Amino acid sequence: MKKDKVRVEEQAFSQAQIESYLDFKSYDEASPQFVMLEKAYRVMPLEFFEKFLDAFVAKGYDLNAKNVDGDTMLELMKPNTAFTEYSNAIQSRVA
């Protein structure tokens, strides 16, 4: 990492910041809801990702939304065993 870069760990997210992830758009054939899930997964610590998921589900969004290859976020996360807490958080909310 460059010396002028600071690694951000355990960044806190306000409720407004969490909800801002519910407004992402898709610029290809991926479901916009998939894009929202992916972006939140990539930047949020687990505590805030779970809050995001609660807001996502409350809006009636689909946790099984797919990317352009037809994969769900959960399917893409399964091989990454280092982050099973994230996949468990989604799995526990899938209807």
Side-chain angles (χ1 to χ4, degrees):
M1 184 180 307
K2 292 184 178 183
K3 292 180 184 179
D4 65 333
K5 303 293 180 196
V6 177
R7 183 179 178 128
V8 177
E9 294 186 26
E10 298 303 318
Q11 176 183 351
F13 286 81
S14 69
Q15 190 62 32
Q17 288 172 310
I18 291 169
E19 290 177 6
S20 73
Y21 280 77
L22 299 172
D23 291 327
F24 282 109
K25 307 289 185 249
S26 176
Y27 295 100
D28 55 22
E29 298 300 314
S31 164
Q33 294 170 21
F34 175 87
V35 173
M36 294 172 204
L37 284 167
E38 182 181 37
K39 290 190 179 288
Y41 165 67
R42 294 193 184 281
V43 301
M44 290 183 185
L46 181 61
E47 171 189 358
F48 300 103
F49 184 68
E50 289 178 323
K51 290 178 182 180
F52 164 80
L53 289 175
D54 291 338
F56 188 89
V57 170
K59 284 212 170 242
Y61 290 165
D62 183 9
L63 290 168
N64 290 309
K66 297 184 179 194
N67 66 8
V68 293
D69 296 322
D71 298 314
T72 67
M73 196 66 221
L74 193 56
E75 290 168 337
L76 294 176
M77 295 167 87
K78 282 189 179 182
N80 190 350
T81 57
F83 295 99
T84 55
E85 299 92 358
Y86 285 81
S87 57
N88 289 343
I90 292 176
Q91 187 66 46
S92 69
R93 291 164 174 88
V94 172

